[in-house]
Amino acid sequence: MTRLAIVTGSTRPHRRGRAVADWVLTTARKAASEGVEVELVDLADFALPVLDEPAPAAWGVYAHEHTRRWSEAIAAFDGYVFVTPEYNHGVPGPLKNATDHLYAEWHHKAVGFVGYGVNGGVRAVEQLRQIAAELKLADVGPQVALSTYTDFDYTGVDLTDPTVTGVFAPDERHADDLAALLDEVTVWSRALAPVRDRSEREPAAAHS
């Protein structure tokens, strides 16, 4: 069984990210081939504080229950799709913080990116690709770039209300981009399975 996680990148109240993540999740489940499970992992459900572990994540020794809970959730998957906004030209703090809490749990898995924002979240995604490389995540080429101007419907909405997010209504062209992304994440997640198996065996062999 290959397990994929759709990971929300924002925890902000009135965020657009959950609607986008639900679209990705629904699409992924419809398109999933046999032997593939897809689940939502919402950062808002974990309430991770700013990184507070006394040991580096690379040690894999966690002092806090919130980190152990996050570790168990992420370790259970073989690949990921990060759904991320772009904050001030970069990665939102909660998502960067969440990646930094862990290390080996990310290794030798695939990741794809769905960005949204004024410029489609592309600059946040570029930063995430650099982070992914350090975490030994294999990032796939296809990505989805959603505009908060053209992929959300504000008909009948009071635009003076600061909590307004609009109704998520992605342009049809994004469906093909998402399909390509999901296909590659699935293929690479499966292809990297032997590498994950080997890396899990090696520490045990080294101490035998």
Side-chain angles (χ1 to χ4, degrees), residues 119-208:
N119 295 299
V122 295
R123 294 172 292 199
V125 170
E126 285 304 303
Q127 291 183 1
L128 283 167
R129 291 187 185 279
Q130 295 176 341
I131 295 166
E134 186 65 23
L135 295 173
K136 300 183 183 180
L137 279 165
D139 59 311
V140 304
Q143 70 185 63
V144 180
L146 301 162
S147 169
T148 50
Y149 288 126
T150 60
D151 291 308
F152 290 80
D153 185 0
Y154 300 95
T155 303
V157 173
D158 179 6
L159 295 179
T160 65
D161 181 351
T163 67
V164 162
T165 59
V167 176
F168 183 51
D171 189 278
E172 291 182 3
R173 64 187 174 86
H174 296 302
D176 290 340
D177 294 335
L178 181 57
L181 182 158
L182 292 168
D183 181 64
E184 291 214 10
V185 169
T186 300
V187 168
W188 280 101
S189 295
R190 286 172 165 168
L192 288 167
V195 182
R196 293 193 295 275
D197 291 342
R198 185 184 66 192
S199 64
E200 290 173 0
R201 290 194 303 269
E202 285 176 348
H207 293 88
S208 61

Side-chain angles (χ1 to χ4, degrees), residues 40-174:
L40 179 71
V41 176
D42 192 339
L43 290 186
D45 293 337
F46 291 84
L48 289 171
V50 174
L51 184 57
D52 60 350
E53 286 290 335
W59 291 15
V61 179
Y62 303 130
H64 302 300
E65 177 59 28
H66 53 255
T67 308
R68 290 192 290 270
R69 180 170 171 252
W70 178 236
S71 170
E72 290 173 2
I74 292 304
F77 293 97
D78 305 298
Y80 313 94
V81 177
F82 288 172
V83 176
T84 181
E86 181 179 311
Y87 289 171
N88 298 314
H89 216 287
V91 180
L95 183 53
K96 180 62 168 70
N97 183 55
T99 61
D100 289 345
H101 266 78
L102 308 177
Y103 188 62
E105 293 86 344
W106 302 112
H107 287 186
H108 312 307
K109 300 177 181 181
V111 64
F113 303 103
V114 176
Y116 63 94
V118 174
N119 295 299
V122 295
R123 294 172 292 199
V125 170
E126 285 304 303
Q127 291 183 1
L128 283 167
R129 291 187 185 279
Q130 295 176 341
I131 295 166
E134 186 65 23
L135 295 173
K136 300 183 183 180
L137 279 165
D139 59 311
V140 304
Q143 70 185 63
V144 180
L146 301 162
S147 169
T148 50
Y149 288 126
T150 60
D151 291 308
F152 290 80
D153 185 0
Y154 300 95
T155 303
V157 173
D158 179 6
L159 295 179
T160 65
D161 181 351
T163 67
V164 162
T165 59
V167 176
F168 183 51
D171 189 278
E172 291 182 3
R173 64 187 174 86
H174 296 302

